Amino acid sequence: MADWLQDVRTLARTLVVKLQHLLAEAPAGSLQLTGVLGLAALVWGLYQLRRPGGRGDDTRPSNANMARRPAVGNSLTQPPKQTHSSSAQAKAKTSAPTSLSQAIQMQLAGVRQITISAPGVLLDQWTPDQLQDSASVQQAAVPIVHELLRNANVFLVTHVIDDVGEATVRGALEDVGLVGTSEGQIKPHRLLFCSTLEGKVSIVRQLEPELHIDGHPSTVEDLKRFMPQILHIVQPGSQPAAAANKNVGAAKSLTEVFSFTG
């Protein structure tokens, strides 16, 4: 029940953001304004009813709210410290993971919600233009995503140009079994799309994840002040974004971060 209520709140917030962008970008007279505002009021009312106590608050997290969040393990953004103690080495060996599932569970200590930007992270394609023609899922990332889904709520956010790109991405994810209602699958309502980078940033901030994974450097820069942890998947030939920030890590792929070698 708690997960259902959280999903209602999350979807309400996301819809409000999309409506805000729709109203901001639409030409004068092209929208039935009263209908849109009525839908927004309905969504906001549902959100208020589902909130504990029914009281509204700012949809964007403040710095104070960020400070009150539980601490997240920094294994994803900082390299492990070297130790030469024989007892410490023996303890590490004893507690070493014996499977990919255990390895990811240890790395996600304290992480309950994750947002992932699909281009360059789950998909071979990096730009919305490329997704107009085709979308192919990185096969090595599939088992990793399944395990992430078993350990946290995962939302997938994809920047596309239009409905064509959305259909292309959705079809590719469904073909490899990443979207569905079973354990280890992304629930269909957690598969989100946006038409601008600004829209993606807004959606991620509304979802308030403990970990965000992205392949676009400008998004990493825009979110670095607001996310407990960010993992930047760096496009070949590019440099890591926000390298000076301790809460931002960088890797060439998901498999470089979430891996297991028994």
Side-chain angles (χ1 to χ4, degrees):
M1 180 64 72
D3 287 344
W4 182 83
L5 290 176
Q6 180 61 34
D7 284 347
V8 170
R9 293 177 61 189
T10 298
L11 288 173
R13 287 181 172 185
T14 304
L15 284 171
V16 169
V17 172
K18 288 188 175 182
L19 286 168
Q20 289 173 342
H21 283 278
L22 181 62
L23 289 171
E25 297 173 2
S30 65
L31 292 174
Q32 294 294 332
L33 187 57
T34 54
V36 173
L37 291 177
L39 177 60
L42 176 63
V43 170
W44 185 250
L46 177 61
Y47 168 61
Q48 294 295 325
L49 287 173
R50 295 303 182 184
R51 281 183 53 79
R55 293 181 60 185
D57 61 355
D58 188 357
T59 57
R60 293 191 176 188
S62 65
N63 291 336
N65 289 335
M66 290 296 301
R68 288 195 294 269
R69 287 187 181 183
V72 178
N74 58 10
S75 61
L76 300 177
T77 56
Q78 296 182 21
K81 295 180 179 179
Q82 296 295 328
T83 176
H84 300 287
S85 168
S86 58
S87 60
Q89 290 175 349
K91 183 178 180 181
K93 186 175 181 180
T94 302
S95 61
T98 58
S99 66
L100 177 62
S101 178
Q102 289 185 4
I104 290 178
Q105 188 174 12
M106 292 173 64
Q107 287 177 292
L108 292 182
V111 175
R112 299 184 301 273
Q113 188 145 293
I114 302 171
T115 50
I116 301 176
S117 176
V121 179
L122 300 184
L123 304 175
D124 291 321
Q125 293 73 23
W126 289 84
T127 68
D129 289 336
Q130 293 173 333
L131 293 174
Q132 287 294 99
D133 299 324
S134 64
S136 54
V137 178
Q138 300 177 18
Q139 293 301 315
V142 173
I144 294 173
V145 176
H146 282 311
E147 293 301 330
L148 293 178
L149 286 158
R150 290 187 176 96
N151 288 277
N153 294 325
V154 178
F155 290 82
L156 196 61
V157 186
T158 307
H159 177 201
V160 295
I161 292 177
D162 53 26
D163 291 344
V164 174
E166 178 177 337
T168 302
V169 173
R170 191 183 297 274
L173 294 171
E174 290 175 348
D175 286 345
V176 297
L178 279 180
V179 177
T181 57
S182 301
E183 182 184 13
Q185 290 184 306
I186 300 171
K187 296 178 181 179
H189 66 273
R190 291 180 177 175
L191 185 58
L192 307 174
F193 296 87
C194 57
S195 59
T196 64
L197 288 175
E198 293 80 6
K200 180 174 67 171
V201 170
S202 295
I203 290 173
V204 172
R205 288 192 61 186
Q206 297 294 333
L207 294 173
E208 299 183 358
E210 284 84 18
L211 171 64
H212 176 66
I213 306 175
D214 207 298
H216 202 289
S218 70
T219 303
V220 174
E221 290 287 350
D222 289 342
L223 289 172
K224 65 184 180 183
R225 296 181 297 143
F226 308 106
M227 299 292 109
Q229 281 196 105
I230 299 176
L231 177 60
H232 180 201
I233 302 301
V234 184
Q235 186 173 9
S238 300
Q239 296 297 318
N245 288 68
K246 293 183 179 180
N247 65 321
V248 179
K252 296 178 181 178
S253 65
L254 281 182
T255 55
E256 185 177 330
V257 180
F258 302 100
S259 61
F260 170 75
T261 54

